[in-house]
Amino acid sequence: MISVVLVDDETECLDVLEADLQRLCPDFQILQKFDNPLEALQFINQNHIDALFLDISMPLLNGFDLLKQVPNIDFDVVFVTAYDNFALKAFEFCAVDYLVKPTTKESIIRAADRIRSKHKNLNMKQNIALLLANMQKDLQKRQQVAIPTFEGLEFVNMQQISYAKADGNYTTIVLQNQEKIMISKTLKEFEGILNDSTFARIHNSYLVNLEHVRKYIKGDTGSVVLNDGTTLQVSRANKTKLMSMVKFGA
């Protein structure tokens, strides 16, 4: 049996992946599934596992940051991601497995077969280190982001993005000059193509550019005030991660 851990902040995605693995891969034993990456990190560091199916864009701790805190990656990793084709080339170049959301039966079977054939991948730690280094370089080079609008693509300088707001299956992006752009992607999908050191998910409904945050207002959950005076609520689940990323002044 191959012992497996699943990590994704979206419980629906967790349940679907668990059901698919149980149905398609009877030799995979799911030890645990986590919608909280901090709890997952603690379990992974305290238990032996053979493979990890890991979402990338998560509040509190994204998939890359989680792996950085694992001293000994002696298990196979399959990233579950909504990243664009540009980023997927980096996964392939670094020989790291991935599943693109929404996952399919065929992609799950391929990932499982790769885990069985190379179990265990002794180069996984080196492969992931290479991936993280390359992804960081790519993100630094990509000052612009291509935004899929209803009319086509709009190229926007990431520094001009003040914040993004979830709007069902769409996202409204608010620029520094107050211009608003609605895109045909969810907020989670949009978050996946941005630099995590600059943008922070502060709420299920909000993704904010930290360079545009002027202050943090204390409260049960709290809120942030942007340079233009906009006030956005911070969820309890994201408060700790936000406060660890930046220091605020009144």
Side-chain angles (χ1 to χ4, degrees), residues 1-206:
M1 298 291 287
I2 297 175
S3 58
V4 176
V5 168
L6 315 180
V7 184
D8 194 317
D9 65 302
E10 297 183 70
T11 55
E12 182 179 350
C13 292
L14 271 179
D15 293 340
V16 170
L17 181 57
E18 178 184 34
D20 285 341
L21 286 173
Q22 290 176 337
R23 177 170 53 90
L24 300 171
C25 310
D27 57 330
F28 278 38
Q29 179 187 12
I30 300 175
L31 298 181
Q32 289 283 354
K33 58 178 182 177
F34 296 93
D35 60 7
N36 184 318
L38 294 176
E39 294 177 359
L41 176 62
Q42 182 178 7
F43 181 89
I44 292 167
N45 281 334
Q46 294 177 353
N47 294 271
H48 168 80
I49 67 172
D50 294 320
L52 173 65
F53 286 76
L54 178 65
D55 186 27
I56 294 178
S57 298
M58 297 182 289
L60 300 180
L61 197 69
N62 69 39
F64 294 144
D65 289 336
L66 184 151
L67 289 175
K68 289 177 183 177
Q69 298 187 41
V70 178
N72 185 25
I73 303 176
D74 60 348
F75 48 83
D76 290 310
V77 178
V78 178
F79 288 102
V80 184
T81 176
Y83 269 63
D84 58 16
N85 288 333
F86 179 89
L88 296 183
K89 291 180 180 178
F91 286 82
E92 294 169 357
F93 176 77
C94 299
V96 175
D97 287 337
Y98 63 88
L99 295 173
V100 177
K101 293 182 178 180
T103 58
T104 64
K105 171 184 174 181
E106 292 75 17
S107 64
I108 291 174
I109 290 175
R110 282 197 301 269
D113 286 342
R114 286 195 293 266
I115 290 175
R116 295 188 190 100
S117 65
K118 66 184 182 184
H119 178 67
K120 291 184 175 184
N121 184 354
L122 300 179
N123 295 319
M124 180 57 68
K125 186 172 185 177
Q126 293 90 328
N127 291 350
I128 290 176
L130 178 61
L131 172 67
L132 295 179
N134 285 342
M135 291 288 283
Q136 185 62 36
K137 290 178 181 178
D138 290 336
L139 287 170
Q140 290 172 349
K141 293 177 182 178
R142 298 172 71 191
Q143 297 301 314
Q144 285 190 324
V145 58
I147 296 176
T149 67
F150 297 102
E151 299 176 346
L153 291 177
E154 185 163 345
F155 294 88
V156 176
N157 189 312
M158 289 194 290
Q159 294 179 345
Q160 297 301 313
I161 299 174
S162 182
Y163 69 96
K165 180 181 180 181
D167 189 3
N169 290 326
Y170 303 98
T171 297
T172 298
I173 298 170
V174 181
L175 303 182
Q176 192 172 18
N177 62 3
Q178 295 300 305
E179 178 185 352
K180 296 182 179 179
I181 305 173
M182 178 170 281
I183 67 172
S184 54
K185 295 286 186 180
T186 66
L187 186 61
K188 184 175 179 65
E189 290 173 326
F190 181 62
E191 181 183 12
I193 63 174
L194 296 177
N195 188 337
D196 290 324
S197 66
T198 303
F199 291 84
R201 187 72 172 266
I202 62 170
H203 190 279
N204 283 342
S205 298
Y206 298 115

